[in-house]
Amino acid sequence: MSSSLSRSVGYFGDNLFHDVIEVQYRLKSAGFSELIVDGNCGPKTVAAIRKFQQRFMSLPDGLVEPDGATLRRLQFGHFSQGNARLDTPVPTASNLPAGGGVRKNVNDLSVSPQGHALIKNYESLRLKPYYDGSGHEIDKYVDGATIGYGHLINNSAEFEVYKNGINEIKANELYQLDMNKFELSIKKLVNADLNQNEYDAVMMLSFNIGYGSVKYDTGFITSEVLKILNGLSQGDLDEAWLRWGYYKHHFSKGLMNRRRSELNVFHNGVYAR
């Protein structure tokens, strides 16, 4: 299996999102099971690279180069330490188009590993409670209190559970619970058959803008995007999608970039920021 690694990953590496995803998956399969696959090359990823390199290098540099010795061993090596497997499969997470595929009923689909990784990358990991509107840490409950990968804290009682912070394992548990519930809700709204990258993109958008409310005309349930997908509108999908690049009626560069990234997933299967 050839690698899709395009640039260096690790200490002072280029650390492109799709490259980091590949290295993190290969490190997990090489024995670093606790490593979080999120596309962020943080201290734990660099430390895992160095620890892996200690198996065959006297001076580990914490860097994985395309076609370098570390990558070759991650792909094909057998080691006396750890449990690396030959030719570890890695989900597609590259800058090359991977779109298309057979369209299926949405009830037969679930978010792909690379879809989860990109959502987490955008949501960012926060181990202390913060106010979603500003991103500032908080020490008492307010409406909009959030923690982990965008987990909304529902009330003051739940806030008491998380007020002193959580670890990455708990953040991932909360994310998976939230996503599982959310997927079930969104699947009830979408009548169209989708392929994998289209489905991932729809989940990325709806997870960010919320399920919404018909009464208050908010969220995915009232969106033009949903109407277009279900054949209830002849509007332009991209234009409808990009309407969600605004925050309180003001243009947001960050949100617009996120919307364009989601459309790149939808149309081309490119999972990158």
Side-chain angles (χ1 to χ4, degrees):
M1 175 181 169
S2 61
S3 168
S4 60
L5 200 68
S6 61
R7 304 285 283 276
S8 59
V9 172
Y11 188 61
F12 284 112
D14 296 301
N15 296 325
L16 300 183
F17 175 80
H18 57 276
D19 289 332
V20 176
I21 289 289
E22 173 167 348
V23 170
Q24 288 174 328
Y25 266 106
R26 292 192 184 279
L27 285 167
K28 282 181 74 73
S29 294
F32 299 90
S33 58
E34 298 302 315
L35 187 65
I36 304 299
V37 179
D38 59 3
N40 289 315
C41 189
K44 292 186 178 181
T45 298
V46 173
I49 293 171
R50 283 200 171 111
K51 191 170 182 181
F52 177 79
Q53 289 174 327
Q54 287 174 0
R55 303 174 185 179
F56 57 92
M57 292 173 63
S58 57
L59 294 173
D61 60 8
L63 189 66
V64 182
E65 297 275 11
D67 301 319
T70 302
L71 182 61
R72 287 197 298 272
R73 287 175 180 262
L74 281 169
Q75 286 179 279
F76 305 113
H78 290 284
F79 302 93
S80 58
Q81 303 177 55
N83 61 351
R85 297 193 298 272
L86 180 63
D87 198 14
T88 303
V90 177
T92 301
S94 74
N95 57 347
L96 300 176
V102 177
R103 285 190 168 86
K104 301 178 180 179
N105 185 293
V106 292
N107 292 307
D108 297 325
L109 293 168
S110 59
V111 177
S112 69
Q114 57 267 41
H116 283 303
L118 190 52
I119 292 171
K120 287 181 177 181
N121 186 271
Y122 268 112
E123 293 296 330
S124 298
L125 175 61
R126 299 288 297 271
L127 300 180
K128 294 290 184 66
Y130 67 97
Y131 174 55
D132 187 49
S134 65
H136 296 152
E137 288 188 10
I138 54 177
D139 57 11
K140 60 180 65 176
Y141 176 74
V142 295
D143 188 25
T146 310
I147 198 168
Y149 292 105
H151 172 73
L152 188 65
I153 300 174
N154 293 306
N155 50 51
S156 56
E158 186 181 2
F159 187 87
E160 286 298 308
V161 176
Y162 301 132
K163 67 179 181 180
N164 295 320
I166 59 176
N167 57 28
E168 291 184 18
I169 294 175
K170 184 62 179 180
N172 276 283
E173 289 177 359
L174 289 173
Y175 168 80
Q176 201 58 60
L177 287 171
D178 289 343
M179 180 56 76
N180 288 347
K181 293 177 183 177
F182 199 75
E183 276 196 271
L184 289 174
S185 298
I186 297 300
K187 285 179 177 181
K188 294 177 182 177
L189 300 178
V190 180
N191 298 325
D193 290 348
L194 301 174
N195 64 30
Q196 183 64 60
N197 49 284
E198 290 170 343
Y199 178 84
D200 284 346
V202 168
M203 291 305 304
M204 289 174 193
L205 172 68
S206 56
F207 190 77
N208 181 236
I209 68 176
Y211 181 88
S213 164
V214 173
K215 179 179 179 180
Y216 296 106
D217 192 24
T218 60
F220 186 70
I221 191 173
T222 65
S223 71
E224 184 77 4
V225 172
L226 178 60
K227 294 182 177 71
I228 293 170
L229 290 173
N230 286 342
L232 301 177
S233 170
Q234 298 301 312
D236 181 84
L237 179 68
D238 288 18
E239 190 275 332
W241 204 292
L242 293 176
R243 289 178 202 165
W244 295 94
Y246 295 79
Y247 179 70
K248 294 185 177 179
H249 306 293
H250 294 288
F251 175 82
S252 167
K253 183 178 179 180
L255 281 177
M256 191 61 72
N257 288 339
R258 184 167 181 166
R259 300 290 86 90
R260 294 188 186 281
S261 172
E262 292 159 355
L263 283 171
N264 206 14
V265 173
F266 187 94
H267 293 301
N268 303 312
V270 175
Y271 292 77
R273 294 189 65 157

